[in-house]
Structure formats: C-alpha cells, structure tokens
C-alpha cells in the first residue's frame, strides 16, 4: 500500500499552487467545485459536536472554513416544519445541514413486538426529510455497542489517544434489556427494516447511511454484529438494490478490520453506495480486536489515497474528520467532557479539519477531472 510521504504531499501541494498560478488567481477552495467531498463537523448537543446550534456555535464552525454540518435528529417521527426550522437557523449561520442521525427504533433492532409501529415512524420521518430537502439520514444497527473496551493511551507530547482491546470485554454478559441476538437474527431484523424503509427513502429522494459496527469486535456482549466485516457491508447493500440503501464509509473502521481503505472505498463508490464518510486514522495490532485511534496524520490508513479516490469518484456528500485527539488546550477548558477515553474537543477538530482540507486541495490538484 502506498504510504503518504512528505515529498509526495509537498509535490501535490506544489502542483496545486502551480495550477492556481496558471489560472492567474488564487488556488480555489473545494466550495468552488461540484462533485467533491464536503468537509463537515457535527453541531448540536451531542458529545462530539463542535458547536451548538446558536450564533456562537455556528460561528465556531464557520471560522474553520466549514460550511456543511451533520447532527443528531429529534425523536421520531420527525416533522417537516421541525426540520425546516433547524435547517433555516443553520442557513442563517452560513451552514448547510447534510446529514441527520435517526434513532429510536430499539424494538426493530431486536425483532420485538411493536417494531412495525417504530418502522412507520421512521417511514414518516424519511418523508418529512425528503420534503424538507435533507439529503442523507444516518443510522446505527447495534444489538450492543461494546464501548466498554475503550481505554486511553498516551500519544505524542502527552496527547490522548483512544484504544480498544477486545480481551477486556469478550466475556461480558448480555444486558437484561438487550439480551443475546445471533448474527443471523440481526440480519433478519435489518432485512425486515430495510425492505420497509428503503422504498420510502428512495421515493422521498433521501439516502440512508448505515454506520459500521465500531468497535468491530466479533461479538458485542454475546450478540452478533452485522457491520463488523467487509462481507457484512457488501451483504447489507444487496438487501435492497437502491442508492438509498448505502453506508457510512469509515476508513478508520475499514483498517480496524484489516482491510485496505482505498480499495474498499473504490468498491462501494463504484456502486454509488457511499452516502456519508468518516475520515480518521488508526494503528492496528490485531484486526477487529486491538487497535488505537491516533492523530489523523499518523497510522496505517493512507489518508491521501482515500481522499484521491473520493475525488476520482466525484463523491459529493459529507466527509467528517471525526474523533479528535485530546490536546492540552481542550483539556484545560473547564467545560471539556471527552466523548471517548482519550478523545478531544474543538482544538482537536481544528487540527483534523485543517489536515482534511489540505488533503482535499491536493487531491483536487492531482486527480484528473
């Protein structure tokens, strides 16, 4: 696998500068192009939000040169006027909402009585999203997310890193309110869900993006994980043949599973099933089971190759440089509350955004139009 070298990126940036000079003006930003990734941040009240949906929060995001955002959604069923109000507020702050996370269908996850009522709320929410002009709705489908295996490691200069070790959690019992669900049970449940909601999403003009299981441990408190292998990702998008049935391509999770991120990106991009992107880096000691989330400029993922592949595909939706590392500047703030062990905040996001913007600028300059 090609690893991004200092000479490689300097050459790419040099080519970008020369291209801008040849046009007789400053190097264009990604906003001047169509069919390129839109770097985004999360807003709202979530633990990874870079700012709230208020004047100060939106200003913080805009100051980083970010104009597109993602956020968690309200309780289902969503209402069109409710979505339009949020989107209008963001627009007044110079931001465009490109992705909203939907949740609240626990009975559907477990195949329990009452799931049809939940699914109807999801269907109503997708119709509201389509009428409001929301292009992507993201979701999870975990029986349990085994975050108990996370712990903090120390990185360069004492910065915080997020590590995972399945040995810490592989014997944990199921929680009473969740139970144990086999892998095939989970596949039956997600198939039932997708066959009911994807036709509605397609009709509404909305793409759905299922985030991979992360951590991708084989079992999560005894339950199977449908999105913890590349084979699972491929199986998922075949359940209903529609671009509305897509994934969140996470290059960090891809490497956690021992796969090659640019190749996996190419596969799903060719199918037009990448409906959202998470852009981060990891070092892996044992695929699926032992790894560390590191700074975006270190680790096993060829981040430039991933960005080049997305630009080559003319991928036009959101790219989120997520999971910032814990910097002292963030830790010293009295209101700092890390979402993950070793996770960071706004200063860490500023670093990630700057890196991602440089990768995008260089990829635009080096990938043939």
């Amino acid at each position: 696998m090609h690893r991004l070298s200092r000479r490689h990126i300097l050459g790419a940036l040099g080519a970008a500068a020369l291209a801008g000079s040849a046009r007789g003006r400053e190097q264009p930003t990604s906003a001047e192009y169509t069919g390129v990734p839109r770097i985004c941040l999360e807003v709202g009240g979530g633990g990874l939000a870079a700012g709230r949906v208020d004047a100060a929060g939106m200003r913080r995001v805009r100051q980083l040169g970010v104009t597109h955002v993602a956020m968690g959604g309200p309780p289902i069923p969503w209402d069109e006027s409710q979505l339009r109000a949020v989107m209008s507020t963001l627009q007044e702050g110079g931001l465009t909402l490109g992705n909203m996370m939907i949740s609240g269908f626990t009975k559907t996850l477990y195949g329990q009585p009452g799931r049809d009522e939940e699914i109807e709320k999801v269907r109503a929410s997708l119709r509201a999203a389509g009428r409001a002009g929301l292009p992507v709705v993201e979701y999870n489908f975990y029986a349990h997310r085994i975050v108990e295996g996370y712990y903090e490691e120390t990185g360069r200069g004492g910065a915080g890193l997020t590590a995972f070790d399945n040995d810490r959690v592989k014997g944990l019992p199921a929680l009473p309110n969740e139970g144990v669900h086999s892998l095939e049970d989970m596949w039956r449940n997600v198939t039932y869900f997708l066959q009911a909601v994807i036709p509605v999403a397609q009709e509404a003009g909305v793409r759905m993006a299922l985030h991979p299981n992360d951590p991708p441990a084989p079992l999560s408190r005894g339950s199977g994980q449908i999105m913890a292998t590349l084979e699972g990702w491929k199986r998922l998008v075949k359940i209903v043949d529609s671009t509305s049935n897509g994934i969140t391509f996470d290059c960090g999770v891809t490497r956690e599973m021992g796969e090659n991120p640019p190749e996996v990106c190419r596969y799903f991009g060719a199918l037009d099933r990448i409906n959202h992107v998470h852009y981060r880096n990891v070092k892996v000691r044992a695929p699926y089971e032992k790894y560390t989330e590191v700074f975006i400029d270190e680790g096993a993922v060829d981040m430039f190759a991933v960005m080049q592949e997305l630009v080559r595909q003319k991928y036009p939706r959101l790219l989120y440089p997520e999971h910032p590392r814990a910097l002292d500047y963030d830790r010293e703030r009295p209101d700092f509350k890390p979402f993950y062990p070793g996770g960071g905040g706004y200063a860490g996001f500023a670093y990630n955004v700057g890196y991602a913007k440089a990768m995008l600028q260089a990829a635009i300059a080096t990938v043939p139009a």
Side-chain angles (χ1 to χ4, degrees):
M1 178 181 70
H2 170 74
R3 295 297 303 277
L4 181 62
S5 67
R6 182 174 181 271
R7 183 169 63 179
H8 187 183
I9 187 58
L10 286 175
L13 290 172
L18 287 173
S21 176
R23 285 188 288 268
R25 61 183 182 88
E26 294 182 358
Q27 172 64 19
T29 66
S30 62
E32 297 179 63
Y33 293 89
T34 58
V36 297
R38 305 294 174 176
I39 294 172
C40 77
L41 288 171
E42 181 183 337
V43 295
L48 285 173
R52 294 187 176 275
V53 185
D54 56 23
M58 293 187 291
R59 180 182 171 93
R60 283 160 58 105
V61 172
R62 287 290 289 115
Q63 286 179 346
L64 298 182
V66 172
T67 58
H68 289 72
V69 293
M71 66 185 302
I76 56 174
W78 296 349
D79 179 80
E80 178 186 353
S81 61
Q82 181 183 34
L83 300 182
R84 285 188 180 276
V86 173
M87 295 169 75
S88 177
T89 298
L90 290 168
Q91 287 173 352
E92 291 173 2
L95 301 175
T96 298
L97 181 62
N99 181 341
M100 184 173 274
M101 175 71 74
I102 195 167
S103 60
F105 42 94
T106 305
K107 295 174 182 177
T108 304
L109 297 177
Y110 303 137
Q112 296 172 341
R115 67 177 174 177
D116 289 336
E117 290 79 5
E118 288 182 341
I119 288 173
E120 189 50 48
K121 291 180 180 180
V122 174
R123 286 157 57 97
S125 300
L126 292 170
R127 294 188 184 101
R131 291 192 297 268
L134 177 66
V136 176
V137 172
E138 192 176 13
Y139 67 109
N140 289 310
F141 216 91
Y142 294 99
H144 177 82
R145 187 179 183 192
I146 194 70
V147 295
E148 299 92 331
Y150 284 138
Y151 63 98
E152 181 171 348
E153 286 186 353
T154 301
R156 64 195 189 200
L161 308 177
T162 302
F164 176 80
D165 186 346
N166 193 53
D167 287 342
R168 293 174 169 234
V169 294
K170 63 183 180 182
L172 291 180
L175 298 177
N177 63 320
E178 294 176 348
V180 174
H181 305 270
S182 72
L183 185 60
E184 284 309 310
D185 282 343
M186 294 304 295
W187 277 116
R188 279 190 289 271
N189 295 343
V190 77
T191 297
Y192 189 89
F193 175 72
L194 292 175
Q195 289 176 342
V197 303
I198 292 300
V200 174
Q202 182 172 315
E203 183 178 356
V206 174
R207 288 175 177 248
M208 297 192 73
L210 176 55
H211 191 283
N213 291 131
D214 184 30
L219 290 174
S220 186
R221 284 192 178 265
S223 290
Q225 304 215 80
I226 59 172
M227 290 288 282
T229 65
L230 180 57
E231 292 72 22
W233 297 11
K234 292 178 178 180
R235 179 174 174 177
L236 185 282
V237 299
K238 293 177 182 177
I239 291 174
V240 180
D241 186 14
S242 169
T243 55
S244 290
N245 179 28
I247 66 168
T248 294
F249 170 68
D250 187 319
C251 59
V253 177
T254 305
R255 196 68 188 91
E256 290 165 15
M257 301 187 309
E259 303 292 347
N260 185 308
E263 291 181 2
V264 175
C265 181
R266 187 174 305 116
Y267 175 87
F268 286 98
L271 298 175
D272 194 15
R273 298 303 182 89
I274 299 178
N275 292 344
H276 187 51
V277 173
H278 283 179
Y279 193 68
R280 60 182 180 84
N281 215 334
V282 296
K283 291 182 178 178
V284 180
R285 295 179 293 282
Y288 305 101
E289 298 187 356
K290 300 178 190 293
Y291 59 86
T292 303
E293 299 183 23
V294 295
F295 280 94
I296 196 169
D297 65 347
E298 58 183 1
V301 180
D302 188 338
M303 304 300 289
F304 188 45
V306 170
M307 188 68 81
Q308 285 182 306
E309 181 58 33
L310 291 167
V311 170
R312 187 192 66 80
Q313 295 172 13
K314 295 181 171 54
Y315 167 78
R317 288 171 287 280
L318 301 191
L319 180 146
Y320 181 16
E322 59 161 3
H323 292 196
R325 300 296 92 228
L327 304 176
D328 288 348
Y329 185 85
D330 284 325
R331 286 167 160 166
E332 291 164 1
R333 292 183 59 87
D335 58 346
F336 176 58
K337 295 180 181 179
F339 190 70
Y340 297 110
Y346 182 77
F349 274 126
Y351 186 87
N352 283 8
V353 167
Y355 182 90
K357 288 173 76 70
M359 293 291 98
L360 179 55
Q361 185 181 54
I364 290 171
T366 57
V367 174

